Amino acid sequence: YFNPAGMTRLPGTRAAAAVHLVKPKTEFDNEGTSYVNTLPISGGDGGDAGGLASIPHFYLTHALSAKTWFGLAVNVPFGLATEYDSDWVGRYHAIKSEVKTININPSLAYKVNEQLSVALGVSAMYLEGEFTQAVDWGLLSGALPGSNDGKAEIEGDAWGWGFNVGALFEPSPGSRIGVHFRSEVDQDIEGDIDYSNVPVALQPVFFDTGAEADVDLPATVSISGFHQLNREWAIVGDYTWTGWSSIPELRFDFDASGPAASSTVTFDWQDTSRVALGAIHTPNGSDWTYRFGAAYDESPIRNAETRSARLPDNDRIWVAVGAGYNPSKDLRIDFGYAHLFIDDAKIRKTATGEDLARGALKG
């Protein structure tokens, strides 16, 4: 973890690198998934749609003068990955969903006086996405539903740009308050869609072609605080608002016409809040530092009707512990563990509108 507050007292060049390993578990329990005519859709529950992911971070600061610093951050601000068995009951809604981002964020910071520092940065963010789902050619051709499945795969990528500003206020020695704003990043995704096993009668409508989507990744506002109680104990906390309402839907427009001209998943996401509190314990004379914390993190998903199998998210509580070791004055090694407690996320998709050909997903 990189602490920019320390830079006001330690000029020179410092770097930090970290890798977060994340292992979610996502299992579906079918409760009546069916076609529009209530005929049950065949298939299993999809297995564990979660998987191990590694999330890298890199940070660098360099003192340009006694009051001016250059910073560089390379990190992963957004991402998701779920993958169900290809023959599960919700295959017409989702099989594989993957979004990866890499954000390159240079910045400049200026120390106004002993109490106040300010900073400004720009972001260049790369996004890459892949979405697959089964297509019920039997239903679309007027034959028996589920009698002839194919697959649709959308892949695309984009570069987007944004900015961030921050301020750090130290009202007294041992106390710091930080405020940070990160702008939306508009991603104009371009890629293609590929179909498999398309019946001859449907090939004039469903064919491999280009695909486009426009996604505004959300803005964030964070307020954080640090207070040194005594030589061994400090308390920390932060509040973060995220403007997830900037993504009301995920809509892909294809270089085609007619009923296969677009594909839409309605999210209707809401803005969220995350509140965290923690403590830091540094035993007197020890090279070790210990950390404890908890957080409440809201989900942007409003209800079971708009929850997607691609991202079956829900409100969660974080509990985290960590430790840091200083083998020398020039090196620190940190490690930690966080466990997220999440209530069951219900899905109540109906076979209407955009989900007419996908079926009613309930579980």
PDB file of all heavy atoms in Angstrom, residues 226-259:
ATOM      1  N   PHE A 226      -6.665  10.170   8.938  1.00  0.00           N
ATOM      2  CA  PHE A 226      -5.669   9.444   9.727  1.00  0.00           C
ATOM      3  C   PHE A 226      -5.401  10.255  10.985  1.00  0.00           C
ATOM      4  O   PHE A 226      -5.222  11.486  10.923  1.00  0.00           O
ATOM      5  CB  PHE A 226      -4.375   9.282   8.919  1.00  0.00           C
ATOM      6  CG  PHE A 226      -3.210   8.720   9.701  1.00  0.00           C
ATOM      7  CD1 PHE A 226      -2.933   7.367   9.663  1.00  0.00           C
ATOM      8  CD2 PHE A 226      -2.400   9.547  10.473  1.00  0.00           C
ATOM      9  CE1 PHE A 226      -1.853   6.850  10.382  1.00  0.00           C
ATOM     10  CE2 PHE A 226      -1.339   9.053  11.194  1.00  0.00           C
ATOM     11  CZ  PHE A 226      -1.058   7.685  11.150  1.00  0.00           C
ATOM     12  N   HIS A 227      -5.373   9.579  12.147  1.00  0.00           N
ATOM     13  CA  HIS A 227      -5.065  10.286  13.397  1.00  0.00           C
ATOM     14  C   HIS A 227      -4.211   9.390  14.281  1.00  0.00           C
ATOM     15  O   HIS A 227      -4.585   8.253  14.583  1.00  0.00           O
ATOM     16  CB  HIS A 227      -6.336  10.673  14.140  1.00  0.00           C
ATOM     17  CG  HIS A 227      -6.067  11.371  15.446  1.00  0.00           C
ATOM     18  ND1 HIS A 227      -5.427  12.589  15.504  1.00  0.00           N
ATOM     19  CD2 HIS A 227      -6.329  11.003  16.725  1.00  0.00           C
ATOM     20  CE1 HIS A 227      -5.316  12.971  16.771  1.00  0.00           C
ATOM     21  NE2 HIS A 227      -5.855  12.021  17.532  1.00  0.00           N
ATOM     22  N   GLN A 228      -3.044   9.908  14.680  1.00  0.00           N
ATOM     23  CA  GLN A 228      -2.132   9.183  15.548  1.00  0.00           C
ATOM     24  C   GLN A 228      -2.552   9.414  16.996  1.00  0.00           C
ATOM     25  O   GLN A 228      -2.437  10.524  17.531  1.00  0.00           O
ATOM     26  CB  GLN A 228      -0.697   9.681  15.326  1.00  0.00           C
ATOM     27  CG  GLN A 228       0.371   8.825  15.972  1.00  0.00           C
ATOM     28  CD  GLN A 228       0.624   7.531  15.210  1.00  0.00           C
ATOM     29  OE1 GLN A 228       0.700   7.545  13.989  1.00  0.00           O
ATOM     30  NE2 GLN A 228       0.763   6.424  15.925  1.00  0.00           N
ATOM     31  N   LEU A 229      -3.069   8.355  17.644  1.00  0.00           N
ATOM     32  CA  LEU A 229      -3.533   8.495  19.029  1.00  0.00           C
ATOM     33  C   LEU A 229      -2.362   8.608  19.996  1.00  0.00           C
ATOM     34  O   LEU A 229      -2.379   9.430  20.925  1.00  0.00           O
ATOM     35  CB  LEU A 229      -4.400   7.292  19.400  1.00  0.00           C
ATOM     36  CG  LEU A 229      -5.711   7.138  18.621  1.00  0.00           C
ATOM     37  CD1 LEU A 229      -6.384   5.822  18.979  1.00  0.00           C
ATOM     38  CD2 LEU A 229      -6.642   8.312  18.929  1.00  0.00           C
ATOM     39  N   ASN A 230      -1.359   7.752  19.804  1.00  0.00           N
ATOM     40  CA  ASN A 230      -0.147   7.774  20.623  1.00  0.00           C
ATOM     41  C   ASN A 230       0.968   7.115  19.823  1.00  0.00           C
ATOM     42  O   ASN A 230       0.822   6.896  18.622  1.00  0.00           O
ATOM     43  CB  ASN A 230      -0.378   7.075  21.975  1.00  0.00           C
ATOM     44  CG  ASN A 230      -0.971   5.679  21.794  1.00  0.00           C
ATOM     45  OD1 ASN A 230      -0.490   4.904  20.970  1.00  0.00           O
ATOM     46  ND2 ASN A 230      -2.020   5.366  22.566  1.00  0.00           N
ATOM     47  N   ARG A 231       2.070   6.782  20.470  1.00  0.00           N
ATOM     48  CA  ARG A 231       3.223   6.252  19.737  1.00  0.00           C
ATOM     49  C   ARG A 231       2.914   4.899  19.082  1.00  0.00           C
ATOM     50  O   ARG A 231       3.540   4.537  18.088  1.00  0.00           O
ATOM     51  CB  ARG A 231       4.424   6.106  20.677  1.00  0.00           C
ATOM     52  CG  ARG A 231       4.984   7.439  21.174  1.00  0.00           C
ATOM     53  CD  ARG A 231       6.195   7.234  22.045  1.00  0.00           C
ATOM     54  NE  ARG A 231       7.292   6.622  21.301  1.00  0.00           N
ATOM     55  CZ  ARG A 231       8.479   6.321  21.843  1.00  0.00           C
ATOM     56  NH1 ARG A 231       8.699   6.575  23.128  1.00  0.00           N
ATOM     57  NH2 ARG A 231       9.418   5.782  21.112  1.00  0.00           N
ATOM     58  N   GLU A 232       1.963   4.151  19.624  1.00  0.00           N
ATOM     59  CA  GLU A 232       1.721   2.797  19.132  1.00  0.00           C
ATOM     60  C   GLU A 232       0.430   2.643  18.340  1.00  0.00           C
ATOM     61  O   GLU A 232       0.311   1.688  17.567  1.00  0.00           O
ATOM     62  CB  GLU A 232       1.706   1.807  20.304  1.00  0.00           C
ATOM     63  CG  GLU A 232       3.044   1.691  21.015  1.00  0.00           C
ATOM     64  CD  GLU A 232       3.073   0.515  21.979  1.00  0.00           C
ATOM     65  OE1 GLU A 232       2.045  -0.193  22.089  1.00  0.00           O
ATOM     66  OE2 GLU A 232       4.118   0.305  22.621  1.00  0.00           O
ATOM     67  N   TRP A 233      -0.523   3.537  18.500  1.00  0.00           N
ATOM     68  CA  TRP A 233      -1.841   3.336  17.881  1.00  0.00           C
ATOM     69  C   TRP A 233      -2.266   4.522  17.022  1.00  0.00           C
ATOM     70  O   TRP A 233      -2.033   5.675  17.377  1.00  0.00           O
ATOM     71  CB  TRP A 233      -2.919   3.114  18.954  1.00  0.00           C
ATOM     72  CG  TRP A 233      -2.841   1.758  19.589  1.00  0.00           C
ATOM     73  CD1 TRP A 233      -2.187   1.412  20.747  1.00  0.00           C
ATOM     74  CD2 TRP A 233      -3.429   0.554  19.091  1.00  0.00           C
ATOM     75  NE1 TRP A 233      -2.335   0.083  21.009  1.00  0.00           N
ATOM     76  CE2 TRP A 233      -3.100  -0.478  20.002  1.00  0.00           C
ATOM     77  CE3 TRP A 233      -4.189   0.243  17.973  1.00  0.00           C
ATOM     78  CZ2 TRP A 233      -3.513  -1.798  19.822  1.00  0.00           C
ATOM     79  CZ3 TRP A 233      -4.616  -1.074  17.797  1.00  0.00           C
ATOM     80  CH2 TRP A 233      -4.278  -2.072  18.710  1.00  0.00           C
ATOM     81  N   ALA A 234      -2.868   4.189  15.899  1.00  0.00           N
ATOM     82  CA  ALA A 234      -3.472   5.199  15.028  1.00  0.00           C
ATOM     83  C   ALA A 234      -4.816   4.659  14.535  1.00  0.00           C
ATOM     84  O   ALA A 234      -5.014   3.445  14.413  1.00  0.00           O
ATOM     85  CB  ALA A 234      -2.563   5.521  13.844  1.00  0.00           C
ATOM     86  N   ILE A 235      -5.738   5.577  14.247  1.00  0.00           N
ATOM     87  CA  ILE A 235      -7.026   5.183  13.677  1.00  0.00           C
ATOM     88  C   ILE A 235      -7.150   5.790  12.281  1.00  0.00           C
ATOM     89  O   ILE A 235      -6.631   6.876  12.007  1.00  0.00           O
ATOM     90  CB  ILE A 235      -8.216   5.618  14.554  1.00  0.00           C
ATOM     91  CG1 ILE A 235      -8.173   7.128  14.822  1.00  0.00           C
ATOM     92  CG2 ILE A 235      -8.243   4.846  15.857  1.00  0.00           C
ATOM     93  CD1 ILE A 235      -9.401   7.643  15.547  1.00  0.00           C
ATOM     94  N   VAL A 236      -7.829   5.076  11.397  1.00  0.00           N
ATOM     95  CA  VAL A 236      -7.995   5.512  10.014  1.00  0.00           C
ATOM     96  C   VAL A 236      -9.435   5.268   9.589  1.00  0.00           C
ATOM     97  O   VAL A 236     -10.154   4.446  10.175  1.00  0.00           O
ATOM     98  CB  VAL A 236      -7.048   4.747   9.064  1.00  0.00           C
ATOM     99  CG1 VAL A 236      -5.600   5.116   9.326  1.00  0.00           C
ATOM    100  CG2 VAL A 236      -7.246   3.248   9.190  1.00  0.00           C
ATOM    101  N   GLY A 237      -9.862   6.005   8.583  1.00  0.00           N
ATOM    102  CA  GLY A 237     -11.211   5.808   8.061  1.00  0.00           C
ATOM    103  C   GLY A 237     -11.358   6.479   6.713  1.00  0.00           C
ATOM    104  O   GLY A 237     -10.592   7.385   6.366  1.00  0.00           O
ATOM    105  N   ASP A 238     -12.333   6.016   5.926  1.00  0.00           N
ATOM    106  CA  ASP A 238     -12.588   6.687   4.661  1.00  0.00           C
ATOM    107  C   ASP A 238     -14.035   6.456   4.231  1.00  0.00           C
ATOM    108  O   ASP A 238     -14.696   5.496   4.638  1.00  0.00           O
ATOM    109  CB  ASP A 238     -11.619   6.234   3.566  1.00  0.00           C
ATOM    110  CG  ASP A 238     -11.812   4.789   3.135  1.00  0.00           C
ATOM    111  OD1 ASP A 238     -12.847   4.483   2.532  1.00  0.00           O
ATOM    112  OD2 ASP A 238     -10.911   3.971   3.404  1.00  0.00           O
ATOM    113  N   TYR A 239     -14.509   7.374   3.406  1.00  0.00           N
ATOM    114  CA  TYR A 239     -15.829   7.275   2.778  1.00  0.00           C
ATOM    115  C   TYR A 239     -15.632   7.496   1.283  1.00  0.00           C
ATOM    116  O   TYR A 239     -14.944   8.444   0.878  1.00  0.00           O
ATOM    117  CB  TYR A 239     -16.786   8.334   3.322  1.00  0.00           C
ATOM    118  CG  TYR A 239     -18.044   8.472   2.493  1.00  0.00           C
ATOM    119  CD1 TYR A 239     -19.104   7.595   2.654  1.00  0.00           C
ATOM    120  CD2 TYR A 239     -18.154   9.469   1.519  1.00  0.00           C
ATOM    121  CE1 TYR A 239     -20.253   7.701   1.874  1.00  0.00           C
ATOM    122  CE2 TYR A 239     -19.292   9.584   0.736  1.00  0.00           C
ATOM    123  CZ  TYR A 239     -20.338   8.701   0.918  1.00  0.00           C
ATOM    124  OH  TYR A 239     -21.468   8.799   0.131  1.00  0.00           O
ATOM    125  N   THR A 240     -16.232   6.633   0.472  1.00  0.00           N
ATOM    126  CA  THR A 240     -16.120   6.759  -0.982  1.00  0.00           C
ATOM    127  C   THR A 240     -17.501   6.687  -1.611  1.00  0.00           C
ATOM    128  O   THR A 240     -18.275   5.755  -1.332  1.00  0.00           O
ATOM    129  CB  THR A 240     -15.232   5.654  -1.579  1.00  0.00           C
ATOM    130  OG1 THR A 240     -13.906   5.781  -1.051  1.00  0.00           O
ATOM    131  CG2 THR A 240     -15.175   5.765  -3.097  1.00  0.00           C
ATOM    132  N   TRP A 241     -17.804   7.657  -2.450  1.00  0.00           N
ATOM    133  CA  TRP A 241     -19.022   7.674  -3.262  1.00  0.00           C
ATOM    134  C   TRP A 241     -18.633   7.322  -4.689  1.00  0.00           C
ATOM    135  O   TRP A 241     -17.646   7.836  -5.223  1.00  0.00           O
ATOM    136  CB  TRP A 241     -19.657   9.056  -3.213  1.00  0.00           C
ATOM    137  CG  TRP A 241     -20.794   9.241  -4.194  1.00  0.00           C
ATOM    138  CD1 TRP A 241     -22.110   9.008  -3.983  1.00  0.00           C
ATOM    139  CD2 TRP A 241     -20.688   9.736  -5.542  1.00  0.00           C
ATOM    140  NE1 TRP A 241     -22.846   9.301  -5.103  1.00  0.00           N
ATOM    141  CE2 TRP A 241     -22.002   9.747  -6.083  1.00  0.00           C
ATOM    142  CE3 TRP A 241     -19.623  10.147  -6.345  1.00  0.00           C
ATOM    143  CZ2 TRP A 241     -22.259  10.172  -7.388  1.00  0.00           C
ATOM    144  CZ3 TRP A 241     -19.881  10.554  -7.645  1.00  0.00           C
ATOM    145  CH2 TRP A 241     -21.193  10.568  -8.147  1.00  0.00           C
ATOM    146  N   THR A 242     -19.407   6.435  -5.315  1.00  0.00           N
ATOM    147  CA  THR A 242     -19.159   6.033  -6.695  1.00  0.00           C
ATOM    148  C   THR A 242     -20.416   6.240  -7.517  1.00  0.00           C
ATOM    149  O   THR A 242     -21.496   5.763  -7.144  1.00  0.00           O
ATOM    150  CB  THR A 242     -18.723   4.551  -6.775  1.00  0.00           C
ATOM    151  OG1 THR A 242     -17.574   4.357  -5.933  1.00  0.00           O
ATOM    152  CG2 THR A 242     -18.357   4.171  -8.210  1.00  0.00           C
ATOM    153  N   GLY A 243     -20.298   6.927  -8.639  1.00  0.00           N
ATOM    154  CA  GLY A 243     -21.455   7.287  -9.464  1.00  0.00           C
ATOM    155  C   GLY A 243     -21.828   6.212 -10.465  1.00  0.00           C
ATOM    156  O   GLY A 243     -21.793   6.452 -11.690  1.00  0.00           O
ATOM    157  N   TRP A 244     -22.235   5.029  -9.987  1.00  0.00           N
ATOM    158  CA  TRP A 244     -22.554   3.907 -10.876  1.00  0.00           C
ATOM    159  C   TRP A 244     -23.772   4.169 -11.755  1.00  0.00           C
ATOM    160  O   TRP A 244     -24.000   3.428 -12.728  1.00  0.00           O
ATOM    161  CB  TRP A 244     -22.785   2.644 -10.045  1.00  0.00           C
ATOM    162  CG  TRP A 244     -21.550   2.014  -9.514  1.00  0.00           C
ATOM    163  CD1 TRP A 244     -21.156   1.932  -8.216  1.00  0.00           C
ATOM    164  CD2 TRP A 244     -20.517   1.354 -10.265  1.00  0.00           C
ATOM    165  NE1 TRP A 244     -19.948   1.281  -8.104  1.00  0.00           N
ATOM    166  CE2 TRP A 244     -19.544   0.914  -9.353  1.00  0.00           C
ATOM    167  CE3 TRP A 244     -20.330   1.108 -11.626  1.00  0.00           C
ATOM    168  CZ2 TRP A 244     -18.404   0.229  -9.753  1.00  0.00           C
ATOM    169  CZ3 TRP A 244     -19.195   0.428 -12.025  1.00  0.00           C
ATOM    170  CH2 TRP A 244     -18.235  -0.004 -11.093  1.00  0.00           C
ATOM    171  N   SER A 245     -24.566   5.193 -11.457  1.00  0.00           N
ATOM    172  CA  SER A 245     -25.716   5.494 -12.319  1.00  0.00           C
ATOM    173  C   SER A 245     -25.288   5.943 -13.713  1.00  0.00           C
ATOM    174  O   SER A 245     -26.131   6.082 -14.598  1.00  0.00           O
ATOM    175  CB  SER A 245     -26.598   6.564 -11.665  1.00  0.00           C
ATOM    176  OG  SER A 245     -25.866   7.760 -11.447  1.00  0.00           O
ATOM    177  N   SER A 246     -23.982   6.147 -13.918  1.00  0.00           N
ATOM    178  CA  SER A 246     -23.482   6.493 -15.254  1.00  0.00           C
ATOM    179  C   SER A 246     -23.578   5.307 -16.220  1.00  0.00           C
ATOM    180  O   SER A 246     -23.353   5.466 -17.418  1.00  0.00           O
ATOM    181  CB  SER A 246     -22.028   6.976 -15.170  1.00  0.00           C
ATOM    182  OG  SER A 246     -21.164   5.927 -14.759  1.00  0.00           O
ATOM    183  N   ILE A 247     -23.900   4.104 -15.701  1.00  0.00           N
ATOM    184  CA  ILE A 247     -24.033   2.914 -16.558  1.00  0.00           C
ATOM    185  C   ILE A 247     -25.451   2.368 -16.411  1.00  0.00           C
ATOM    186  O   ILE A 247     -25.680   1.394 -15.679  1.00  0.00           O
ATOM    187  CB  ILE A 247     -23.005   1.835 -16.196  1.00  0.00           C
ATOM    188  CG1 ILE A 247     -21.594   2.433 -16.103  1.00  0.00           C
ATOM    189  CG2 ILE A 247     -23.001   0.709 -17.242  1.00  0.00           C
ATOM    190  CD1 ILE A 247     -20.528   1.430 -15.738  1.00  0.00           C
ATOM    191  N   PRO A 248     -26.439   2.979 -17.079  1.00  0.00           N
ATOM    192  CA  PRO A 248     -27.811   2.463 -16.972  1.00  0.00           C
ATOM    193  C   PRO A 248     -28.012   1.145 -17.702  1.00  0.00           C
ATOM    194  O   PRO A 248     -28.908   0.373 -17.364  1.00  0.00           O
ATOM    195  CB  PRO A 248     -28.645   3.578 -17.603  1.00  0.00           C
ATOM    196  CG  PRO A 248     -27.713   4.252 -18.561  1.00  0.00           C
ATOM    197  CD  PRO A 248     -26.364   4.194 -17.914  1.00  0.00           C
ATOM    198  N   GLU A 249     -27.176   0.885 -18.707  1.00  0.00           N
ATOM    199  CA  GLU A 249     -27.322  -0.330 -19.502  1.00  0.00           C
ATOM    200  C   GLU A 249     -26.014  -0.625 -20.219  1.00  0.00           C
ATOM    201  O   GLU A 249     -25.122   0.226 -20.314  1.00  0.00           O
ATOM    202  CB  GLU A 249     -28.441  -0.176 -20.544  1.00  0.00           C
ATOM    203  CG  GLU A 249     -28.138   0.886 -21.599  1.00  0.00           C
ATOM    204  CD  GLU A 249     -29.250   1.070 -22.615  1.00  0.00           C
ATOM    205  OE1 GLU A 249     -30.378   0.630 -22.330  1.00  0.00           O
ATOM    206  OE2 GLU A 249     -28.984   1.652 -23.684  1.00  0.00           O
ATOM    207  N   LEU A 250     -25.905  -1.866 -20.695  1.00  0.00           N
ATOM    208  CA  LEU A 250     -24.809  -2.248 -21.584  1.00  0.00           C
ATOM    209  C   LEU A 250     -25.445  -2.588 -22.926  1.00  0.00           C
ATOM    210  O   LEU A 250     -26.120  -3.613 -23.068  1.00  0.00           O
ATOM    211  CB  LEU A 250     -24.043  -3.445 -21.029  1.00  0.00           C
ATOM    212  CG  LEU A 250     -22.880  -3.963 -21.890  1.00  0.00           C
ATOM    213  CD1 LEU A 250     -21.834  -2.881 -22.094  1.00  0.00           C
ATOM    214  CD2 LEU A 250     -22.261  -5.212 -21.281  1.00  0.00           C
ATOM    215  N   ARG A 251     -25.246  -1.721 -23.902  1.00  0.00           N
ATOM    216  CA  ARG A 251     -25.878  -1.882 -25.216  1.00  0.00           C
ATOM    217  C   ARG A 251     -24.807  -1.987 -26.293  1.00  0.00           C
ATOM    218  O   ARG A 251     -23.964  -1.091 -26.435  1.00  0.00           O
ATOM    219  CB  ARG A 251     -26.796  -0.693 -25.521  1.00  0.00           C
ATOM    220  CG  ARG A 251     -27.415  -0.731 -26.926  1.00  0.00           C
ATOM    221  CD  ARG A 251     -28.176   0.546 -27.231  1.00  0.00           C
ATOM    222  NE  ARG A 251     -28.644   0.586 -28.605  1.00  0.00           N
ATOM    223  CZ  ARG A 251     -29.811   0.150 -29.027  1.00  0.00           C
ATOM    224  NH1 ARG A 251     -30.666  -0.366 -28.148  1.00  0.00           N
ATOM    225  NH2 ARG A 251     -30.154   0.215 -30.292  1.00  0.00           N
ATOM    226  N   PHE A 252     -24.852  -3.075 -27.039  1.00  0.00           N
ATOM    227  CA  PHE A 252     -23.962  -3.256 -28.176  1.00  0.00           C
ATOM    228  C   PHE A 252     -24.755  -3.040 -29.457  1.00  0.00           C
ATOM    229  O   PHE A 252     -25.810  -3.654 -29.660  1.00  0.00           O
ATOM    230  CB  PHE A 252     -23.363  -4.668 -28.173  1.00  0.00           C
ATOM    231  CG  PHE A 252     -22.256  -4.856 -27.185  1.00  0.00           C
ATOM    232  CD1 PHE A 252     -22.516  -5.389 -25.936  1.00  0.00           C
ATOM    233  CD2 PHE A 252     -20.955  -4.492 -27.502  1.00  0.00           C
ATOM    234  CE1 PHE A 252     -21.499  -5.561 -25.017  1.00  0.00           C
ATOM    235  CE2 PHE A 252     -19.929  -4.661 -26.592  1.00  0.00           C
ATOM    236  CZ  PHE A 252     -20.194  -5.197 -25.339  1.00  0.00           C
ATOM    237  N   ASP A 253     -24.268  -2.158 -30.309  1.00  0.00           N
ATOM    238  CA  ASP A 253     -24.853  -1.938 -31.635  1.00  0.00           C
ATOM    239  C   ASP A 253     -23.977  -2.635 -32.669  1.00  0.00           C
ATOM    240  O   ASP A 253     -22.747  -2.483 -32.674  1.00  0.00           O
ATOM    241  CB  ASP A 253     -24.937  -0.436 -31.938  1.00  0.00           C
ATOM    242  CG  ASP A 253     -25.924   0.273 -31.030  1.00  0.00           C
ATOM    243  OD1 ASP A 253     -27.049  -0.231 -30.873  1.00  0.00           O
ATOM    244  OD2 ASP A 253     -25.567   1.329 -30.468  1.00  0.00           O
ATOM    245  N   PHE A 254     -24.615  -3.389 -33.549  1.00  0.00           N
ATOM    246  CA  PHE A 254     -23.900  -4.180 -34.538  1.00  0.00           C
ATOM    247  C   PHE A 254     -24.013  -3.560 -35.921  1.00  0.00           C
ATOM    248  O   PHE A 254     -24.955  -2.815 -36.206  1.00  0.00           O
ATOM    249  CB  PHE A 254     -24.440  -5.613 -34.564  1.00  0.00           C
ATOM    250  CG  PHE A 254     -24.497  -6.262 -33.213  1.00  0.00           C
ATOM    251  CD1 PHE A 254     -25.644  -6.912 -32.777  1.00  0.00           C
ATOM    252  CD2 PHE A 254     -23.401  -6.214 -32.360  1.00  0.00           C
ATOM    253  CE1 PHE A 254     -25.700  -7.509 -31.524  1.00  0.00           C
ATOM    254  CE2 PHE A 254     -23.437  -6.810 -31.112  1.00  0.00           C
ATOM    255  CZ  PHE A 254     -24.589  -7.451 -30.690  1.00  0.00           C
ATOM    256  N   ASP A 255     -23.053  -3.883 -36.778  1.00  0.00           N
ATOM    257  CA  ASP A 255     -23.082  -3.428 -38.173  1.00  0.00           C
ATOM    258  C   ASP A 255     -24.034  -4.317 -38.969  1.00  0.00           C
ATOM    259  O   ASP A 255     -23.666  -4.976 -39.939  1.00  0.00           O
ATOM    260  CB  ASP A 255     -21.671  -3.484 -38.771  1.00  0.00           C
ATOM    261  CG  ASP A 255     -20.713  -2.558 -38.045  1.00  0.00           C
ATOM    262  OD1 ASP A 255     -21.188  -1.630 -37.366  1.00  0.00           O
ATOM    263  OD2 ASP A 255     -19.498  -2.776 -38.163  1.00  0.00           O
ATOM    264  N   ALA A 256     -25.270  -4.344 -38.528  1.00  0.00           N
ATOM    265  CA  ALA A 256     -26.298  -5.162 -39.171  1.00  0.00           C
ATOM    266  C   ALA A 256     -27.619  -4.424 -39.048  1.00  0.00           C
ATOM    267  O   ALA A 256     -27.717  -3.374 -38.416  1.00  0.00           O
ATOM    268  CB  ALA A 256     -26.385  -6.544 -38.510  1.00  0.00           C
ATOM    269  N   SER A 257     -28.658  -4.974 -39.648  1.00  0.00           N
ATOM    270  CA  SER A 257     -29.984  -4.350 -39.587  1.00  0.00           C
ATOM    271  C   SER A 257     -31.005  -5.391 -39.162  1.00  0.00           C
ATOM    272  O   SER A 257     -30.699  -6.590 -39.087  1.00  0.00           O
ATOM    273  CB  SER A 257     -30.368  -3.765 -40.955  1.00  0.00           C
ATOM    274  OG  SER A 257     -30.384  -4.784 -41.938  1.00  0.00           O
ATOM    275  N   GLY A 258     -32.204  -4.946 -38.839  1.00  0.00           N
ATOM    276  CA  GLY A 258     -33.257  -5.856 -38.454  1.00  0.00           C
ATOM    277  C   GLY A 258     -33.178  -6.240 -36.988  1.00  0.00           C
ATOM    278  O   GLY A 258     -32.616  -5.514 -36.162  1.00  0.00           O
ATOM    279  N   PRO A 259     -33.711  -7.419 -36.612  1.00  0.00           N
ATOM    280  CA  PRO A 259     -33.790  -7.807 -35.203  1.00  0.00           C
ATOM    281  C   PRO A 259     -32.439  -8.085 -34.560  1.00  0.00           C
ATOM    282  O   PRO A 259     -32.347  -8.148 -33.340  1.00  0.00           O
ATOM    283  CB  PRO A 259     -34.638  -9.093 -35.255  1.00  0.00           C
ATOM    284  CG  PRO A 259     -34.476  -9.613 -36.653  1.00  0.00           C
ATOM    285  CD  PRO A 259     -34.340  -8.392 -37.520  1.00  0.00           C
TER     286      PRO A 259
END
